[in-house]
Amino acid sequence: MNTLIQFLILRSKWNNIEENQPIPVTLTEIAEILNCSVRNVKYILKSFISNDWIIWIPGMGRGNPSKITFRQSNREIIEEEVKKIMKENKAEKLMVLLQLEELQEKERKYLLDILLYREKNNDTYSKDTLHLPVYRQIHQLSPSLATRRTELHLIRHLYSTLIGIDSERGIAEHWRIESDYKRFTFVLRKGVKFHDDSTLTAEDVRYSLLKLKNTNFSWVVDEIKSIEILHDTKLVIQLFRSNYSFLSWLTLPCTSIIAANYTDRIIGTGPYYLSKHNESIVILKAFSNYFGYRPSTDEIKLIIVPVIYKQYFDGQEVQNNNSDVIEKQVVSQIDVGCKYILLHTAALSKEERLSLIQKINIPQMIASLKENRQEVATTLLRGINHSLTDQAFPNCLPSTVSIRTYKGAGNEKDMGWLCKQWEESGVRVNGTLVDYSQLYDGKTDVILTEISGEDSLETTLFSFILNKDSPLQLVLSPKRLKEIREIVGNVIQINDQEKRWEELSHVHNDLIEEGVLVPLFRWNQIVKVPTSFAKLSLNSYGWLNFSELVNEM
């Protein structure tokens, strides 16, 4: 493997020279390219020669450099080495190779096809294993801390909530609600097992909910007055006031049930358990003792390859002439959420905010940046009704403005486009690109980020408004935040879902009218899987529902 990497590094220096063309070079030059000693170069070249990759003619006499001739193309050599790797069932070696910056785009995509979509005649892969690429590392799989869509999606498969998003996945088998919606009695399913084979009890439910009090999701449990355990499979939750949205709040990933005595381990009761998690790969395996239907797909492997961010997720295919690669199918949908910006009300006046917004031509942004940017977003979530009222946009641009976003998710291009529009209008723009964990500093004029939808749009909007780490908390004045919280406090006491949604939508629409919230566009979410997989559907996070997949091979 090291020999192949050394060859690719060396070959990359002369990518513009075709095979079988002698290239003058010295041992010292090769040593500098490979970052090794001249002595080691001699051993390396011997390996290349024994593999029939090069011809080496040593220079004779002073002023006569040696000559190296590359006999085979990178693709031919890579294909041969990949066959050896797959016979050894060492897919991890391919992952190392994928990280190599010297790979050309077509070579990287070829390797990804082999790694992710298997080979038709390769028995070393289980036919019920799905391989998917991820461009960034997956960090946080604790339900009370995770906020990004990939982590939330995995949490949905690793854990279960008290109330499921369908009847199969909820821990509660039955519940009774008092007429005032202040007292909820839950009867739990019997014999629900954690991934360590211990049995779930009402104490685990109580612990999991109360644990949220000191997190960014504390609003979910702030309404709880008490949790009374009647026995191992029955408990009563008493609220301070009526809350007709409370049951839907209990479907959020943050309310996932964890074992009270295993707080630092990723152990849930979901259809999959975490088999492996490091900077290169995340492996989920089907949990045989799952209380619902066991997943048909035995194993999910998420291959983490940061270098493919720009080179693979561009919606384009590279022609692959290798007949052994399994054919792929594409599953897609338009995002429930959107990319959006928030403008700070303390740093920018309303007139300045509206003037900046006027300079943003979203259809032009989509047409210019392309890729998977699909449609103009007039609202934060699909399903919210909003028509912008006629208003005069002032010409009151600020002299300077700062904008901040995080690395990945296309944000580099999106921020660059916004900066260019404002700069062309005479505004001096300071754009900052940071890690996701550093996004919300509370000082930036404009925040560029995105929102993914939960299965309940109402609950998604509650989260956007009430989460302590929501960027909305940073851009509004304490007075305005208090007003919104009071509105939400009244909304949860309305026993009419359509009316609740209408009132929440008013809050959303007011933020747009005030020049605080600007929805930009929705992604076309795309997932590529082998054609042998059936029952394909994307959830609100834009990910495949792993539990429903069936391999017909």
Side-chain angles (χ1 to χ4, degrees):
M1 186 65 180
N2 287 336
T3 303
L4 175 60
I5 291 175
Q6 289 165 338
F7 175 84
L8 293 174
I9 292 172
L10 184 63
R11 186 67 177 94
S12 68
K13 298 302 178 182
W14 295 285
N15 276 334
N16 60 327
I17 299 179
E18 295 182 358
E19 287 72 42
N20 298 311
Q21 297 293 321
I23 303 169
V25 66
T26 66
L27 291 174
T28 302
E29 289 172 335
I30 294 177
E32 291 176 356
I33 293 170
L34 298 180
N35 193 26
C36 65
S37 67
V38 170
R39 182 179 180 182
N40 282 339
V41 166
K42 294 178 181 179
Y43 290 113
I44 293 169
L45 291 177
K46 285 181 180 179
S47 297
F48 292 172
I49 294 168
S50 66
N51 286 323
D52 201 27
W53 293 350
I54 67 167
I55 296 173
W56 175 258
I57 301 176
M60 303 298 291
R62 182 172 297 183
N64 296 312
S66 302
K67 292 183 179 180
I68 187 171
T69 302
F70 296 100
R71 299 199 63 184
Q72 301 180 55
S73 68
N74 285 7
R75 178 62 174 269
E76 291 171 326
I77 292 172
I78 288 172
E79 285 185 7
E80 201 59 41
E81 291 300 300
V82 164
K83 288 178 182 178
K84 297 176 185 177
I85 291 171
M86 300 313 290
K87 282 182 180 179
E88 298 171 0
N89 197 17
K90 298 289 186 180
E92 290 79 6
K93 289 185 177 181
L94 288 188
M95 292 160 56
V96 173
L97 193 57
L98 275 166
Q99 307 291 345
L100 196 63
E101 293 182 0
E102 285 77 9
L103 277 181
Q104 295 184 39
E105 182 178 348
K106 60 184 179 181
E107 295 159 0
R108 197 181 313 281
K109 291 190 177 185
Y110 163 74
L111 286 174
L112 275 170
D113 272 345
I114 294 296
L115 181 63
L116 300 174
Y117 305 114
R118 309 187 311 246
E119 292 186 65
K120 292 179 181 177
N121 302 316
N122 188 349
D123 295 328
T124 58
Y125 274 131
S126 164
K127 67 178 181 180
D128 288 327
T129 296
L130 177 65
H131 299 75
L132 292 170
V134 182
Y135 77 86
R136 66 172 179 84
Q137 291 184 18
I138 296 170
H139 296 289
Q140 188 53 258
L141 291 176
S142 173
S144 62
L145 298 174
T147 56
R148 302 191 70 174
R149 69 172 75 206
T150 298
E151 282 82 348
L152 294 172
H153 169 69
L154 295 181
I155 284 170
R156 285 288 192 199
H157 289 80
L158 294 170
Y159 298 90
S160 307
T161 47
L162 187 59
I163 304 296
I165 54 177
D166 56 55
S167 59
E168 271 308 317
R169 289 195 283 182
I171 295 296
E173 187 170 36
H174 172 74
W175 53 88
R176 186 177 70 252
I177 307 170
E178 300 299 323
S179 58
D180 61 359
Y181 270 70
K182 291 171 65 176
R183 184 179 173 89
F184 299 75
T185 302
F186 296 95
V187 178
L188 310 183
R189 299 178 191 272
K190 293 183 178 180
V192 174
K193 295 291 186 179
F194 284 103
H195 297 154
D196 65 350
D197 223 27
S198 61
T199 302
L200 180 145
T201 69
E203 176 56 34
D204 297 309
V205 176
R206 188 186 75 86
Y207 173 84
S208 301
L209 294 179
L210 294 183
K211 190 175 186 292
L212 293 177
K213 282 189 173 293
N214 297 317
T215 71
N216 291 322
F217 305 103
S218 60
W219 61 272
V220 177
V221 295
D222 284 345
E223 298 289 322
I224 295 177
K225 182 178 181 180
S226 64
I227 300 178
E228 179 185 2
I229 296 176
L230 302 183
H231 54 72
D232 278 355
T233 58
K234 190 174 184 180
L235 70 155
V236 176
I237 298 180
Q238 181 73 42
L239 306 183
F240 287 107
R241 57 183 174 179
S242 300
N243 188 336
Y244 291 91
S245 298
F246 186 64
L247 279 185
S248 67
W249 292 4
L250 295 179
T251 68
L252 285 168
C254 66
T255 68
S256 297
I257 309 306
I258 61 177
N261 56 340
Y262 286 121
T263 56
D264 295 326
R265 293 171 59 187
I266 307 301
I267 295 180
T269 61
Y272 286 90
Y273 68 90
L274 187 64
S275 172
K276 191 173 185 178
H277 180 196
N278 59 38
E279 62 183 13
S280 300
I281 192 169
V282 174
I283 301 177
L284 308 186
K285 291 187 177 181
F287 181 41
S288 298
N289 290 329
Y290 177 52
F291 62 85
Y293 293 112
R294 183 195 182 280
S296 174
T297 303
D298 297 328
E299 191 174 54
I300 309 293
K301 289 187 176 182
L302 302 184
I303 314 298
I304 301 166
V305 192
V307 291
I308 63 174
Y309 173 54
K310 292 181 180 179
Q311 300 181 12
Y312 195 72
F313 296 110
D314 55 6
Q316 300 179 13
E317 281 289 335
V318 165
Q319 293 298 318
N320 198 327
N321 297 321
N322 190 336
S323 60
D324 289 333
V325 175
I326 277 182
E327 294 181 358
K328 302 178 289 295
Q329 57 185 320
V330 174
V331 190
S332 65
Q333 71 176 17
I334 304 301
D335 197 1
V336 174
C338 72
K339 185 73 66 77
Y340 69 95
I341 59 172
L342 288 171
L343 295 92
H344 205 298
T345 57
L348 301 166
S349 68
K350 182 177 180 180
E351 291 74 18
E352 289 174 326
R353 298 195 301 271
L354 293 176
S355 297
L356 287 170
I357 294 168
Q358 187 182 27
K359 300 300 178 181
I360 304 173
N361 185 323
I362 301 173
Q364 187 182 86
M365 181 183 193
I366 295 172
S368 174
L369 299 180
K370 300 177 182 177
E371 296 177 349
N372 293 344
R373 297 165 183 82
Q374 187 68 24
E375 68 176 32
V376 174
T378 57
T379 58
L380 197 66
L381 304 168
R382 277 193 290 119
I384 300 178
N385 294 320
H386 174 252
S387 298
L388 191 65
T389 58
D390 292 332
Q391 56 179 314
F393 282 93
N395 186 13
C396 188
L397 288 167
S399 58
T400 62
V401 68
S402 59
I403 181 170
R404 190 179 182 95
T405 192
Y406 59 92
K407 301 171 186 175
N411 290 326
E412 296 89 344
K413 289 185 178 181
D414 296 329
M415 183 173 71
W417 189 91
L418 291 169
C419 289
K420 183 180 178 182
Q421 304 308 303
W422 290 332
E423 286 170 347
E424 288 178 351
S425 299
V427 180
R428 190 167 70 248
V429 184
N430 177 26
T432 306
L433 191 66
V434 297
D435 291 332
Y436 182 80
S437 60
Q438 301 172 325
L439 178 59
Y440 307 129
D441 67 343
K443 302 173 183 178
T444 306
D445 301 332
V446 181
I447 297 173
L448 170 65
T449 185
E450 66 178 3
I451 185 171
S452 59
E454 295 292 341
D455 291 85
S456 163
L457 294 182
E458 178 184 301
T459 304
T460 306
L461 212 45
F462 275 124
S463 298
F464 173 71
I465 295 170
L466 297 174
N467 276 5
K468 287 182 180 177
D469 65 345
S470 168
L472 190 64
Q473 304 286 329
L474 301 176
V475 301
L476 295 178
S477 67
K479 180 182 178 181
R480 186 70 176 107
L481 284 171
K482 183 179 178 181
E483 291 172 355
I484 291 175
R485 291 193 191 103
E486 289 175 354
I487 293 171
V488 170
N490 293 327
V491 167
I492 63 175
Q493 298 180 74
I494 299 174
N495 186 17
D496 183 321
Q497 188 173 10
E498 288 188 10
K499 183 65 174 175
R500 288 200 305 275
W501 182 242
E502 182 182 335
E503 293 300 315
L504 280 177
S505 297
H506 283 324
V507 174
H508 163 277
N509 295 343
D510 287 345
L511 291 172
I512 292 179
E513 299 289 340
E514 293 165 12
V516 174
L517 169 64
V518 185
L520 296 174
F521 60 83
R522 305 196 197 284
W523 292 107
N524 182 25
Q525 299 168 318
I526 297 174
V527 179
K528 302 172 189 176
V529 293
T531 54
S532 59
F533 280 91
K535 298 186 70 175
L536 305 175
S537 62
L538 300 185
N539 59 23
S540 59
Y541 302 126
W543 273 90
L544 286 169
N545 291 304
F546 297 152
S547 302
E548 299 176 7
L549 293 174
V550 175
N551 195 337
E552 297 178 330
M553 184 180 290

